[in-house]
Amino acid sequence: MAQGNQTRVSEFLLLGFSEDPELQPLIFGFFLSMYLITVFGNLLIILATISDSHLHTPMYFFLSNLSFVDIGFTSTTIPKMLWNIHTQSQVITYEACIFQMHFFTLFIGLDIFLLTVMAYDRFVAICHPLLYTVIMNPRLCALLVLMSWIISLLHSLLESLMVLQLSFCTVLEIPHFFCELHQMIQLANSDTFLNNMVMYFVAVFLAGGSLFGIIYSYSKIVFCIREISSSQGKYKALSTCASRLSVVSLFYCTGLGVYLSSAATHSSHSSVTASVMYTVVTPMLNPFIYSLRNKDLKRGLKMLFGKENIKVSIVLGLEKFL
C-alpha cells in the first residue's frame, strides 16, 4: 500500500500566506520588490569585488561568495511563489518540489558555513593582524569555500534521497510558500524516524557547531578590541564586527525561532511568516549592512559605476560617429 501511494504522488499544493484573492496582488508586489532588491544588491557586491583590485582580499572573497549564495537562496523559492500567484495556482510538481527542497537545503547550509568562515576571518584579522596574510592565504580561502560547498551538497543530497524513499498520503497540502524539508517529512505517511534523526542531528551538529564557532570567534574579538590602544582602531574593529553580528543574529535568531515555534505551537501561519525573515529579508539586507559603513566597498561601487558610465559614453560616441 505504501508503494502504491508513493507512485501516485505527482504534485503538491503550496498554500502560501493567504488564499484571499484581494491580498494576492499585494503579496506579489511585496515579494517581487524584495526579490529584485536582493538580486540587484548582491550582484553589485559581486561585480564591485571583481572590478576593484583593492577588494581582492579574503574578507571580500567570502562576502562575494555569500552574495552569490543569497541570490541562489532567494531564487530557489520566490520565483515559484510569484509564478503561482500570477497563474492563480498552488500546484508544484513532485519533481519540482524535491528539486526546490534540495537547493534550499544546499544554500541554507552554505549560508551557515560562510557566516562561520567570515567570523573566523575577522578573528584572524583583528586578533592576529601580523599573521593575517600568512594564515588567510588564497589556498586556505579557496579550500574553506570548497569544503563548505562539498559538505552542504552532500547534506542536501542525503536529505533529498531520504525524502524520495518516503510515501505520502492523499493530503498533499504544504502550509508554506516553498517545499521545506520539515514540512515534507510531516506530510509522509511512512516511517520518518530516520529522517527526523538525520535532520535534527544535522541541525545540532552543523548549525549548532557553526553557531558555537561564530560565538567563540566574536567573543575572542571583543577581548582583542579591548586591548587596542587607539580609539580609531577600536572604532574600526567594532564597526566591522557590528555589521556582521547583526547579519548573524538576524539569520540565526529568526531561523531558530521558526523551528522552535513550529515544534511548540504547530502554528503553520506564524512559522511561515517568521521564515520570511531568514529566507527573504536577511539576503535582502546583507548588501546594505555590509556596505553601509564600508568605505572600501563604497569606493568599489563608485569605480564600478564609473567604468559603466565610461563604457556607455564610448558606445554612444561610436554610434554617433558611425
Side-chain angles (χ1 to χ4, degrees):
M1 186 180 298
Q3 183 66 24
N5 288 340
Q6 188 177 8
T7 55
R8 284 198 296 269
V9 173
S10 60
E11 60 187 31
F12 294 93
L13 296 178
L14 295 173
L15 300 184
F17 295 94
S18 173
E19 296 183 6
D20 188 354
E22 296 181 357
L23 291 177
Q24 299 308 307
L26 181 63
I27 295 173
F28 183 89
F30 181 66
F31 278 91
L32 177 61
S33 60
M34 286 199 297
Y35 178 66
L36 293 177
I37 292 171
T38 301
V39 173
F40 183 70
N42 284 287
L43 189 60
L44 281 179
I45 289 181
I46 295 172
L47 293 176
T49 304
I50 294 172
S51 62
D52 189 357
S53 60
H54 294 93
L55 299 180
H56 294 174
T57 62
M59 181 176 73
Y60 296 106
F61 172 69
F62 296 134
L63 180 58
S64 60
N65 275 274
L66 181 67
S67 296
F68 174 78
V69 169
D70 282 340
I71 292 174
F73 194 28
T74 52
S75 299
T76 303
T77 56
I78 297 182
K80 177 57 181 174
M81 184 194 68
L82 295 176
W83 177 255
N84 282 0
I85 294 175
H86 176 69
T87 58
Q88 297 181 355
S89 172
Q90 296 176 323
V91 174
I92 182 170
T93 63
Y94 177 79
E95 293 79 9
C97 195
I98 297 295
F99 180 86
Q100 189 181 67
M101 184 197 69
H102 168 73
F103 279 97
F104 178 81
T105 307
L106 169 65
F107 286 123
I108 197 172
L110 284 167
D111 247 335
I112 290 171
F113 282 120
L114 286 175
L115 288 174
T116 309
V117 169
M118 291 172 73
Y120 175 71
D121 172 72
R122 289 300 86 199
F123 161 71
V124 177
I126 295 173
C127 298
H128 305 284
L130 299 178
L131 298 175
Y132 179 70
T133 55
V134 177
I135 297 174
M136 301 303 296
N137 56 77
R139 184 177 179 181
L140 178 63
C141 294
L143 183 62
L144 289 172
V145 173
L146 180 62
M147 290 302 298
S148 299
W149 273 94
I150 292 174
I151 296 173
S152 300
L153 183 59
L154 291 175
H155 167 233
S156 60
L157 281 173
L158 175 63
E159 297 285 11
S160 301
L161 290 173
M162 291 183 68
V163 170
L164 285 172
Q165 304 305 313
L166 297 176
S167 58
F168 296 90
C169 55
T170 54
V171 181
L172 300 175
E173 294 181 345
I174 301 176
H176 219 298
F177 66 95
F178 65 92
C179 294
E180 195 258 343
L181 176 62
H182 184 254
Q183 297 289 343
M184 294 282 290
I185 294 175
Q186 284 187 329
L187 279 179
N189 67 342
S190 54
D191 185 17
T192 59
F193 175 77
L194 188 59
N195 296 77
N196 284 312
M197 286 294 293
V198 171
M199 182 176 64
Y200 289 119
F201 173 78
V202 169
V204 172
F205 183 72
L206 294 184
S210 298
L211 182 59
F212 173 78
I214 291 171
I215 293 173
Y216 176 80
S217 297
Y218 283 111
S219 63
K220 297 292 287 185
I221 288 172
V222 170
F223 285 110
C224 292
I225 290 174
R226 291 175 61 184
E227 297 177 0
I228 298 176
S229 57
S230 65
S231 58
Q232 186 178 1
K234 284 184 178 181
Y235 175 77
K236 185 178 180 180
L238 283 172
S239 61
T240 303
C241 295
S243 61
R244 283 154 180 76
L245 274 174
S246 60
V247 171
V248 171
S249 301
L250 184 62
F251 180 81
Y252 270 95
C253 290
T254 53
L256 186 62
V258 167
Y259 286 97
L260 289 179
S261 63
S262 62
T265 63
H266 300 284
S267 176
S268 59
H269 180 72
S270 60
S271 63
V272 169
T273 305
S275 66
V276 175
M277 293 301 295
Y278 76 94
T279 58
V280 183
V281 176
T282 303
M284 181 186 70
L285 292 179
N286 279 351
F288 298 100
I289 292 173
Y290 284 113
S291 62
L292 191 61
R293 295 184 179 180
N294 194 315
K295 294 180 180 179
D296 294 331
L297 196 55
K298 286 181 180 179
R299 185 188 63 221
L301 291 172
K302 287 179 181 178
M303 288 182 62
L304 176 65
F305 284 114
K307 289 179 180 180
E308 290 300 323
N309 291 333
I310 292 172
K311 289 178 182 178
V312 171
S313 62
I314 291 174
V315 172
L316 292 176
L318 289 173
E319 288 179 350
K320 291 180 180 179
F321 179 77
L322 295 172

